[in-house]
Amino acid sequence: MASRLRCGAASFAAAGLLSLTVPVLAQTAGNVTEALPPPTGLAPYLAPVTSGPAKLDADGFVRRWLLLEPLVEPNRTNAGFTPSYVREKLALGRYPGRPDRLPRDGDVAPAPERPRWHALDAVPFDVKLFKLAQGLGKPTYGVIFWAVTVIDSPRDYDGVRLAVGSNSASRWWLNGAEAVGLYGDRRMVMDDVVSAPLRLRRGRNLLRGAVINGPGMSDFCLRFLDSAGQPLRDITVDVR
């Protein structure tokens, strides 16, 4: 259980990949051109999404995501992940797609690598980006990963906080506004950095993030905490 794992400095206080039977359709300039085989080699860390929205796990972690294959950003060391460097490389203006449109599973993003989006559920509480890249035969070091999901809230929530851990640096936006940033060479620790109070509006909320890493493992974990520091559990998550 995640609650038994190493806790971060924030005061606010886990299965194999099923074989997909439906092929992913390749997209070129918005048109379907060919059928592609589904991703393989992601077990036991990531699994294809099931139909219908996903509930949070017992500890409130968000596990359902649209994950973009890594973009190459050469960094031989993580020592240079200063706030200014991370803000430049992980600027929302660099997001490879339309900020007003949710990508679909199999979409190709407008980037030199022609990366694809994959709709996946994390099996452990943390999203293992290194295993995503490794399983797809993509670069694992000197990379940037983008992640998008939809948070569906049953009501307006005021005063919630976004609690994030990432390896290495990352930035996160809720409904287009920056919520929290993690800087420097860091290991993934749950609730490592907690945002200022935020508002989750009733209905759909778009959550977007980016993680940058040089050498080493890449992953992140994320959940929402209420005003008492307890994880939200009544929201659902989807990628449609």
Side-chain angles (χ1 to χ4, degrees):
M1 178 176 289
S3 60
R4 297 178 181 176
L5 301 177
R6 178 184 172 194
C7 293
S11 59
F12 288 99
L17 175 65
L18 301 176
S19 297
L20 288 173
T21 58
V22 180
V24 176
L25 296 179
Q27 306 282 334
T28 301
N31 298 317
V32 175
T33 59
E34 60 177 320
L36 293 177
T40 59
L42 303 184
Y45 308 103
L46 296 159
V49 301
T50 56
S51 60
K55 295 181 179 180
L56 303 178
D57 69 15
D59 294 298
F61 286 100
V62 178
R63 299 193 186 192
R64 176 161 293 183
W65 294 89
L66 280 158
L67 301 174
L68 186 64
E69 296 171 354
L71 306 177
V72 174
E73 186 62 49
N75 280 288
R76 301 183 66 179
T77 173
N78 298 334
F81 291 160
T82 62
S84 60
Y85 179 84
V86 173
R87 290 191 190 104
E88 175 191 353
K89 297 300 181 180
L90 303 186
L92 195 55
R94 288 177 174 256
Y95 172 71
R98 291 174 48 181
D100 59 341
R101 177 182 176 273
L102 189 70
R104 294 178 298 175
D105 188 23
D107 275 0
V108 176
E113 297 92 337
R114 303 289 292 163
R116 296 185 182 278
W117 289 95
H118 298 275
L120 296 166
D121 286 331
V123 177
F125 81 103
D126 59 325
V127 183
K128 297 188 179 296
L129 300 171
F130 181 95
K131 297 300 184 180
L132 171 72
Q134 185 181 58
L136 296 174
K138 303 297 180 179
T140 55
Y141 296 158
V143 287
I144 291 173
F145 298 91
W146 284 89
V148 184
T149 197
V150 174
I151 305 296
D152 197 346
S153 176
R155 63 182 179 87
D156 290 335
Y157 267 113
D158 289 311
V160 302
R161 298 174 185 262
L162 187 60
V164 185
S166 67
N167 186 344
S168 189
S170 64
R171 295 181 74 190
W172 302 88
W173 298 264
L174 180 64
N175 295 325
E178 184 170 11
V180 66
L182 291 78
Y183 307 110
D185 182 11
R186 60 199 314 131
R187 297 177 62 186
M188 197 284 297
V189 178
M190 59 180 283
D191 302 351
D192 189 14
V193 174
V194 179
S195 74
L198 303 169
R199 187 172 192 266
L200 268 181
R201 61 194 183 203
R202 181 180 178 182
R204 292 165 63 87
N205 298 263
L206 184 63
L207 180 61
R208 184 181 286 119
V211 179
I212 188 171
N213 206 8
M217 305 298 287
S218 301
D219 60 338
F220 72 88
C221 65
L222 180 151
R223 61 182 178 173
F224 288 92
L225 306 178
D226 64 20
S227 57
Q230 297 302 308
L232 297 187
R233 296 187 179 89
D234 60 345
I235 58 179
T236 58
V237 190
D238 213 342
V239 290
R240 299 176 180 87

